[in-house]
Amino acid sequence: MMRTRPLKVALLGCGVVGSEVARIMTTHADDLAARIGAPVELAGVAVRRPSKVREGIDPALITTDATALVKRGDIDVVIEVIGGIEPARTLITTAFEHGASVVSANKALLAEDGAVLHAAAEQHGRDLYYEAAVAGAIPLVRPLRESLAGDKVNRVLGIVNGTTNFILDKMDTSGAGYSEALDEATALGYAEADPTADVEGFDAAAKAAILAGIAFHTRVRIGDVHREGITEVTAADIASARRMGCTVKLLAICERAADGQSVTARVHPAMIPLSHPLASVREAYNAVFVEAEAAGQLMFYGPGAGGSPTASAVLGDLVAVCRNKLNEATGPGESAYTRLPVSPMGDVVTRYHISLDVADKPGVLAQVATVFAEKGVSIDTVRQQGRNPGSGDEVATEQGGGGRRVGGEASLVVVTHRASDAALSATVEALRKLDTVRGVASIMRVEGE
C-alpha cells in the first residue's frame, strides 16, 4: 500500500543537472511514487540567483538560504548538486544533523572529505548516496559497493572524463592538434570555458579516488592520486600510438598490489592496444573496466556527463534513499576496513613509450641503450629515424643496432618492457645528461596489454 504523506525533498542547486532533476521529479511523479511506495514532493530549491526564470519550478519554492532549507526539520532527503567543497560540506553535515539523508553528485567533495561525510551520516543514522559523482548515468558505484561486495576487486581501469576523451578521439580520428580539438569540444559544449579541471586530470583524479576507496575498501583521497593531464599530448604521440596498433586515452587506474598489501591510484594519458575494449570508446563517452577474482572482467559503458544522464543517476539514488526511509533503514555506508596504504607512483610497474631528440651520429643508440641497462629498464623495441623527410635519410632499426649516420637531427623512440615508474624516472634523468640527447620529447605509459 502506498503511504499518502509525501516524502519531502530539498534541492541544492538548479543548474544543468538540478533543473533536470526537478523536471523529472515533476513529470514522472506518479512513476516515482509507485516505485518508492510514497509520493515525493519538491519542498524547496536553493539557488544563487533567484531572479532567473526556471521553467516548471514554482517560484515559491526558490530560496537563497540553503542553510535554512536543510535545517527545516521536515525534509526527508537533500539532493546536493552545487559542487565544490564549501558550502556543500557544511550543508550536507547540517542536513544529517536535522534528520535528512543526502544524495550528492559532488565528486570533488567526496574525494576530499568522503570519510568525514560518511562518519557524519553514520552518526546520525542517515544515508549518503553518490552514484552521479563518478560516471553520470553509468551504474558503477552501486555495483562496486553492493553487487561486488562479496568479491575481491583487483583493478579498475577506466575513461571517466568525457571532455578529454572527446579531445583525444578527435586528435586520433581527424589528425587535429590539441588546441584545435579543444576548440571543437568547447564549441559543442563538451568543455567548459575554463577546461582546467578536465584537461589537467583533476576531475578524473577525484573520480579515481572514489572508485579506489569503494573497490578496495580503504580510504583514498584525491591527494593520494597521481595526476597528469592531456595538455602535453601531441599529434606525434597519437601517430606513434597508431604505429604500435594503439590509441591514446586519459585513464584512471586503480590497482591492488600483487601482495595485496597496498593500492595505487593514478590518472594519466596512456597508449592502449586497439584490441582493448576501452580503445573503442569514442567521443564524450565513458567506460570503466573492472577486474575481480570471482566475477572476472566487467565493463560499464555509457554517457558520463550531461544534465539528463547525471539526473538519471541522482533520481536512482533518490528512489533507493526514499525506500530506505520508508523502511526505517539505511543503505551501505563507507567500507574502509582494509586500511591499505596508498603506494607512491614510483612503485607502479608498467611499460613505457619514450621519444628522444638525439644527435644524428654513430653510437647514439648504443649510449642510450647503456643508460637503460644501467637503470634496470629492459628495452623491447627501438625506432630511429632522421629528420629530413623525403631526402632518403630516414632509417628505422630494432634493438641491437648501433645507430647510423643519416644527416640532420634524429628522433629515437624506445618502447620498454615492464619497469617501475621510479626506474623509468631515473633513466630519463640520466638520458637528459647525455650530450647526444638534445631533449626528451615525450614519455607515455603503455597500458591494457
Side-chain angles (χ1 to χ4, degrees):
M1 295 179 62
M2 183 176 294
R3 193 179 78 164
T4 56
R5 184 181 77 79
L7 293 164
K8 294 189 176 183
V9 178
L11 178 61
L12 308 183
C14 198
V16 173
V17 176
S19 59
E20 189 66 8
V21 168
R23 184 191 67 80
I24 295 174
M25 285 186 63
T26 302
T27 58
H28 295 181
D30 291 342
D31 285 341
L32 289 172
R35 294 165 193 167
I36 292 168
V40 288
E41 173 189 319
L42 189 58
V45 182
V47 299
R48 292 178 182 173
R49 292 174 292 175
S51 60
K52 181 179 177 180
V53 176
R54 293 172 172 86
E55 187 177 348
I57 298 178
D58 183 352
L61 297 178
I62 301 296
T63 179
T64 58
D65 194 343
T67 301
L69 179 59
V70 300
K71 282 184 173 181
R72 274 178 36 174
D74 64 335
I75 299 296
D76 295 291
V77 184
V78 170
I79 297 176
E80 183 271 309
V81 287
I82 57 178
I85 305 301
E86 287 291 356
R89 175 172 49 200
T90 299
L91 290 170
I92 288 174
T93 55
T94 301
F96 292 146
E97 293 167 1
H98 288 79
S101 290
V102 174
V103 173
S104 176
N106 195 333
K107 53 188 171 287
L109 177 57
L110 288 159
E112 181 65 31
D113 276 332
V116 172
L117 297 181
H118 276 292
E122 183 177 358
Q123 177 186 351
H124 296 285
R126 311 302 173 201
D127 274 326
L128 174 63
Y129 276 51
Y130 44 90
E131 185 68 65
V134 175
I138 304 173
L140 185 57
V141 171
R142 191 172 287 111
L144 282 174
R145 191 161 68 168
E146 300 177 31
S147 302
L148 294 174
D151 205 340
K152 182 180 180 181
V153 176
N154 291 317
R155 194 169 195 238
V156 179
L157 172 74
I159 298 165
V160 294
N161 182 272
T163 301
T164 52
N165 198 57
F166 179 89
I167 292 170
L168 293 173
D169 183 49
K170 289 301 175 183
M171 291 177 70
D172 186 30
T173 57
S174 70
Y178 168 77
S179 297
E180 184 182 353
L182 173 59
D183 288 344
E184 184 175 355
T186 304
L188 293 173
Y190 293 128
E192 301 287 345
D194 179 3
T196 302
D198 294 320
V199 300
E200 294 291 358
F202 291 101
D203 175 85
K207 295 171 181 176
I210 295 170
L211 290 175
I214 298 171
F216 306 134
H217 305 282
T218 198
R219 287 179 178 168
V220 180
R221 299 179 66 185
I222 190 168
D224 299 319
V225 181
H226 174 84
R227 175 193 56 79
E228 299 173 27
I230 67 167
T231 56
E232 301 300 318
V233 177
T234 66
D237 294 326
I238 301 293
S240 289
R242 194 178 299 115
R243 282 194 292 268
M244 290 177 57
C246 294
T247 188
V248 177
K249 299 290 186 183
L250 182 72
L251 298 180
I253 305 172
C254 312
E255 295 177 303
R256 189 190 301 269
D259 62 5
Q261 299 304 303
S262 64
V263 300
T264 58
R266 50 196 167 105
V267 168
H268 53 72
M271 297 179 180
I272 58 173
L274 294 175
S275 58
H276 194 281
L278 291 178
S280 61
V281 178
R282 304 288 303 280
E283 299 201 333
Y285 278 79
N286 285 192
V288 177
F289 204 68
V290 177
E291 299 176 12
E293 282 196 358
Q297 296 179 333
L298 308 170
M299 184 166 166
F300 301 84
Y301 170 85
S308 293
T310 306
S312 171
V314 169
L315 269 296
D317 279 350
L318 177 65
V319 169
V321 169
C322 287
R323 287 172 175 170
N324 290 342
K325 196 84 173 181
L326 290 179
N327 293 322
E328 299 182 346
T330 57
E334 182 189 33
S335 176
Y337 69 91
T338 62
R339 296 182 175 85
L340 296 174
V342 181
S343 296
M345 187 62 186
D347 292 349
V348 169
V349 175
T350 189
R351 297 180 68 207
Y352 302 88
H353 174 284
I354 305 101
S355 178
L356 305 171
D357 292 332
V358 299
D360 185 21
K361 60 183 181 181
V364 172
L365 182 54
Q367 289 182 355
V368 169
T370 297
V371 170
F372 275 87
E374 289 175 346
K375 301 301 179 182
V377 180
S378 175
I379 294 176
D380 182 16
T381 62
V382 176
R383 181 178 179 85
Q384 178 177 314
Q385 68 179 34
R387 290 289 185 81
N388 297 327
S391 64
D393 64 359
E394 296 184 0
V395 59
T397 63
E398 294 300 311
Q399 180 183 359
R404 286 173 53 187
R405 180 178 298 278
V406 292
E409 296 180 353
S411 175
L412 198 63
V413 176
V414 180
V415 180
T416 75
H417 290 291
R418 289 172 60 81
S420 72
D421 201 85
L424 193 280
S425 295
T427 302
V428 171
E429 184 178 353
L431 288 171
R432 288 194 169 109
K433 295 178 181 179
L434 292 178
D435 292 339
T436 52
V437 175
R438 296 175 176 174
V440 180
S442 72
I443 304 167
M444 193 166 293
R445 297 166 185 88
V446 183
E447 301 284 349
E449 295 180 308

